Amino acid sequence: MCGIYAVAMDESWDYHSGSPIDTGNFIVTTDQNAAPGQISYASDLLRPVRIWLYGLAAFVLLIVVVGGITRLTESGLSITSWKPLSGTIPPLNEAEWQAEFEAYKQIPQYTVLNSWMSLDDFKYIFFWEWLHRLLARALGLIFIVPFVVFLVRKRLSRELAWPLFILFILGGFQGFLGWWMVSSGLSELTSVSQYRLAAHLTAAAVLFAALVYVARSLEPGRVLGRVTPFHLTTTIILGLALVLQLAAGAFVAGLDAGMGYNTWPLMDGAVIPKGLLVMEPAWRNFFENALTVQFIHRGIAYAIVAYCAYLIWRRAKDGGFGGVHGWLPRIGILVLLQVVLGITTLLMSVPISLAVGHQSLAFMLAGATAAYVADMRRVR
């Protein structure tokens, strides 16, 4: 999806004391007296497409927020079946509610943890899972309907349409991952598998970042600044580290690892706590030992802070933050905010509002990094 610019062109253009330029996306004119980087666009066929893609990214973030609340309220297993069409309508009468409640009573989460629940209690957790699924279904419609309209109106070239269709497939795959995750908690576990939760959340992060990247790639005009392979490579590494940290955070959430070891900077009274490798075989500790999983999440956070500080120092030394590199200090600020929010969430034993904010800011960081990469690829 790198370097996507081609679209169908409108043959009409206005003359503004300059000569026409064919960019591949637009027919544009330049004013001979304009400041560098300023372009007068007679036809911007991709503006609605960009708005749509940014809207999709925002909607994905909304789904992530609701999904975080669903996880933190232990609501994810309240709906024990997958009904793509009829499932959009919640129970409408007492008999339907009782049927859903009886289905929930058959799974281990109810028998082991929630046998105290009344029907009213069940309705609360049912709402969050139903809303999460409803928004996921709506995302498909919000994607495919404008996509078809843009194709019919020839706003999308083949070079752009195919990557967008792949993003649609990725969004549909998210639905599969969601049900695959839920199904892991319906027979033996009292919650969903942390492995499947991590896959679900990581795929959402990739989808979000990809939407932001493509939308930013389609911005008109040129971006100022000097970009070297070093800048591009190191920023991509930062983005990959952020996605890795999101996956690590999913393991923390899946194991409720944030509910313990609620001290900082020490963990269980030590810089390196005992018990990191108590499970056999040793690899299981990295995914199933709550102590080790939280320790890894902290360690990746420290590494990202140090790496981001290095990039900022290096950029300040090599020429400052003008043009495209203005993204770097903004990303640095977001990283610091994320660290403060993460520590506060831990010290306060994971209140829902802070935990959801922590997860959402992680997505925003990934999105900002994707936008930075997209802008660097647009530098002329």
Side-chain angles (χ1 to χ4, degrees):
M1 292 178 289
C2 298
I4 301 168
Y5 294 101
V7 298
M9 294 186 298
D10 188 339
E11 293 298 325
S12 63
W13 55 278
D14 297 326
Y15 185 76
H16 296 288
S17 69
S19 56
I21 299 174
D22 178 359
T23 68
N25 315 21
F26 315 93
I27 290 181
V28 303
T29 61
T30 58
D31 187 336
Q32 301 297 329
N33 298 317
Q38 290 184 334
I39 300 177
S40 173
Y41 285 84
S43 179
D44 182 358
L45 294 178
L46 286 182
R47 185 171 184 274
V49 178
R50 291 195 304 275
I51 293 172
W52 167 60
L53 290 172
Y54 285 129
L56 283 172
F59 201 80
V60 168
L61 186 59
L62 173 62
I63 294 173
V64 169
V65 168
V66 174
I69 296 172
T70 301
R71 168 62 195 167
L72 290 163
T73 56
E74 302 289 346
S75 303
L77 298 177
S78 58
I79 303 177
T80 59
S81 60
W82 174 245
K83 301 173 183 177
L85 296 178
S86 61
T88 59
I89 302 174
L92 300 177
N93 55 53
E94 193 70 13
E96 292 178 355
W97 275 115
Q98 285 293 346
E100 291 288 349
F101 193 23
E102 287 302 319
Y104 178 65
K105 287 180 179 180
Q106 307 308 309
I107 69 172
Q109 186 181 77
Y110 176 83
T111 57
V112 176
L113 301 177
N114 293 338
S115 58
W116 54 268
M117 269 191 174
S118 66
L119 180 59
D120 286 339
D121 296 317
F122 172 73
K123 287 180 179 179
Y124 174 77
I125 63 172
F126 183 97
F127 166 77
W128 287 112
E129 175 64 6
W130 172 80
L131 179 61
H132 186 52
R133 295 190 187 192
L134 181 67
L135 292 174
R137 291 181 176 99
L139 179 65
L141 288 176
I142 294 172
F143 191 106
I144 199 63
V145 173
F147 179 72
V148 172
V149 171
F150 290 142
L151 282 177
V152 171
R153 299 188 65 182
K154 298 182 179 180
R155 290 184 184 270
L156 304 177
S157 70
R158 182 178 301 175
E159 290 81 1
L160 178 56
W162 275 111
L164 291 178
F165 183 72
I166 291 172
L167 290 183
F168 174 71
I169 298 300
L170 179 57
F173 183 62
Q174 267 294 88
F176 164 76
L177 286 177
W179 173 245
W180 182 59
M181 177 186 69
V182 169
S183 66
S184 68
L186 298 181
S187 57
E188 297 179 2
L189 303 176
T190 58
S191 62
V192 300
S193 162
Q194 70 271 25
Y195 294 97
R196 300 187 186 187
L197 175 63
H200 189 45
L201 187 65
T202 304
V206 171
L207 176 61
F208 177 80
L211 287 167
V212 172
Y213 175 85
V214 175
R216 192 72 187 179
S217 296
L218 300 177
E219 290 286 346
R222 62 191 179 98
V223 180
L224 302 179
R226 177 176 172 269
V227 174
T228 67
F230 172 83
H231 299 136
L232 194 58
T233 301
T234 53
T235 306
I236 291 173
I237 291 172
L238 175 61
L240 293 174
L242 291 170
V243 173
L244 176 64
Q245 178 69 325
L246 269 160
F251 277 97
V252 171
L255 292 172
D256 290 326
M259 300 297 183
Y261 314 106
N262 303 108
T263 58
W264 186 85
L266 299 181
M267 186 176 180
D268 201 26
V271 175
I272 302 177
K274 296 179 180 179
L276 292 176
L277 298 175
V278 295
M279 289 184 174
E280 294 290 344
W283 67 264
R284 290 181 55 204
N285 291 278
F286 296 94
F287 308 103
E288 300 176 17
N289 183 338
L291 174 69
T292 309
V293 166
Q294 191 192 124
F295 181 76
I296 291 171
H297 193 50
R298 294 188 186 205
I300 296 174
Y302 298 147
I304 288 174
V305 170
Y307 184 68
C308 195
Y310 165 73
L311 293 182
I312 291 173
W313 170 79
R314 177 71 179 262
R315 186 61 222 158
K317 180 182 177 183
D318 291 346
F321 305 102
V324 67
H325 298 296
W327 276 108
L328 197 50
R330 300 174 202 171
I331 291 172
I333 291 171
L334 289 177
V335 167
L336 291 179
L337 288 175
Q338 180 69 334
V339 169
V340 171
L341 186 55
I343 293 171
T344 305
T345 302
L346 177 70
L347 295 178
M348 296 184 67
S349 299
V350 196
I352 290 177
S353 58
L354 293 183
V356 170
H358 186 50
Q359 180 174 272
S360 301
L361 188 54
F363 270 69
M364 294 177 196
L365 252 173
T369 305
Y372 185 22
V373 172
D375 276 3
M376 280 195 284
R377 296 186 66 87
R378 291 171 55 226
V379 169
R380 295 288 196 273

